[in-house]
Amino acid sequence: MPEAHGSTAASAGTATVAGTSLLDVQGLTSSYGPVRALDGVTLSAQAGRITAVLGANGAGKTTLLRTISGLVRPDAGKVVLDGEDITKAPVEAMVGKGMAHVPEGRGVIAELTVDENLRVGSLFRGKVPQSEFDRVYDLFPRIAERRDNHAHTLSGGERQMLVIGRALLAQPRILLLDEPSLGLAPRIVAQIFGLLRQLVDAEGLSVLLVEQNARSALSVADVGVVLNLGKVVVTDDARTLMADEGLRHAYLGF
Ligand SMILES: Nc1ncnc2c1ncn2[C@@H]1O[C@H](COP(=O)(O)OP(=O)(O)OP(=O)(O)O)[C@@H](O)[C@H]1O
Ligand SMILES: [Mg+2]
């Protein structure tokens, strides 16, 4: 990683991006023993927008999502959801507060069918109307076709659709997605990101999208936040970041 990016990052680092924030992260610092993974991270995800958090391996992207959703307890800083301080809220309470976290790795129960995975994933809600499962199948026709197949037979893209569909059954206001594009063909990534855009535009969903694939993420996002070694380097409008060749070369790998 180059040491400095010059004046663009320095000036844009303090840029404020217009909109109403739904999720605010303030000075978040998290460690694994002696390893400081996040170091004073401040960012916000706006209502009805896609906010992309970009950065190389080890930048702290996963730790950021794990800290927001209560899986990692921060050493310092705050997580505020719609004005409520949720920094110390238990992880099980997050879904009830409107947050769904789709972790990296696309975890499904391999021996269960697609339909059973969706049903097991929504058990915490009690009885979920069939119409909500139908909606997930409408959003992901490929998953509908495979509803009676065991999850271990799914491709990576289909698994990703299944875990996003399962998260949507929690009826989140904000969806936290960890590297949904990892290892997928560009065509499948475009399909999944297009669907996210549709959910955001048509239904007012908010998305915090963590990605190493900065080019694809910036092409769908409204706002981008670049992380490097646990710190925010720059926050700006996705289009502005996309146009910044120096920044792209220095931090985004394209
Ligand atoms: N369980 C852990 N124990 C110790 N150190 C960890 C652990 N998880 C992550 N780290 C370290 O914390 C830092 C941030 O890691 P994190 O996984 O958050 O980065 P990331 O941006 O998600 O990376 P990747 O692109 O590889 O997924 C790295 O230095 C990493 O080695
Ligand atoms: Mg990660």
Side-chain angles (χ1 to χ4, degrees):
M1 230 15 89
E3 304 99 2
H5 169 62
S7 61
T8 311
S11 54
T14 54
T16 49
V17 184
T20 313
S21 75
L22 175 60
L23 177 73
D24 279 302
V25 166
Q26 298 163 4
L28 214 54
T29 297
S30 294
S31 308
Y32 300 99
V35 179
R36 178 155 287 188
L38 287 185
D39 192 359
V41 168
T42 295
L43 57 85
S44 55
Q46 296 160 36
R49 301 282 183 90
I50 299 177
T51 304
V53 177
L54 313 163
N57 270 321
K61 305 179 299 296
T62 294
T63 306
L64 172 69
L65 294 193
R66 291 174 61 84
T67 310
I68 291 171
S69 63
L71 292 161
V72 168
R73 291 297 168 193
D75 304 331
K78 275 207 277 191
V79 180
V80 177
L81 182 66
D82 202 15
E84 182 191 358
D85 185 339
I86 59 161
T87 320
K88 297 201 166 106
V91 66
E92 329 67 87
M94 295 304 182
V95 167
K97 293 181 185 300
M99 192 149 77
H101 179 183
V102 181
E104 57 188 348
R106 306 179 187 138
V108 293
I109 305 174
E111 302 75 20
L112 297 185
T113 65
V114 164
D115 196 64
E116 287 164 344
N117 266 279
L118 286 181
R119 285 173 199 279
V120 166
S122 64
L123 277 179
F124 65 92
R125 278 188 55 203
K127 181 128 182 70
V128 175
Q130 181 58 38
S131 58
E132 291 189 34
F133 293 100
D134 292 343
R135 173 174 169 263
V136 170
Y137 288 130
D138 286 346
L139 290 170
F140 298 106
R142 185 73 193 131
I143 290 302
E145 283 167 25
R146 308 219 51 192
R147 62 193 291 163
D148 296 322
N149 293 115
H150 286 115
H152 67 80
T153 67
L154 299 182
S155 67
E158 290 164 350
R159 271 186 190 225
Q160 189 60 52
M161 293 175 194
L162 175 56
V163 294
I164 293 175
R166 189 174 61 190
L168 292 174
L169 285 169
Q171 300 187 307
R173 301 165 69 196
I174 184 160
L175 192 57
L176 313 182
L177 292 171
D178 197 343
E179 307 250 19
S181 83
L182 196 68
L184 303 184
R187 184 176 54 85
I188 306 293
V189 174
Q191 200 180 328
I192 292 173
F193 283 9
L195 187 97
L196 289 176
R197 188 74 250 174
Q198 188 189 319
L199 289 167
V200 164
D201 292 342
E203 304 187 18
L205 181 70
S206 308
V207 174
L208 188 61
L209 170 66
V210 153
E211 271 292 346
Q212 224 177 110
N213 180 352
R215 188 202 295 268
S216 297
L218 283 178
S219 62
V220 72
D222 299 290
V223 176
V225 179
V226 179
L227 270 191
N228 185 49
L229 300 175
K231 292 185 191 263
V232 174
V233 177
V234 55
T235 297
D236 216 328
D237 192 90
R239 226 176 272 169
T240 308
L241 295 180
M242 188 72 116
D244 189 336
E245 199 177 332
L247 180 88
R248 283 198 273 116
H249 291 173
Y251 296 105
L252 303 178
F254 75 101

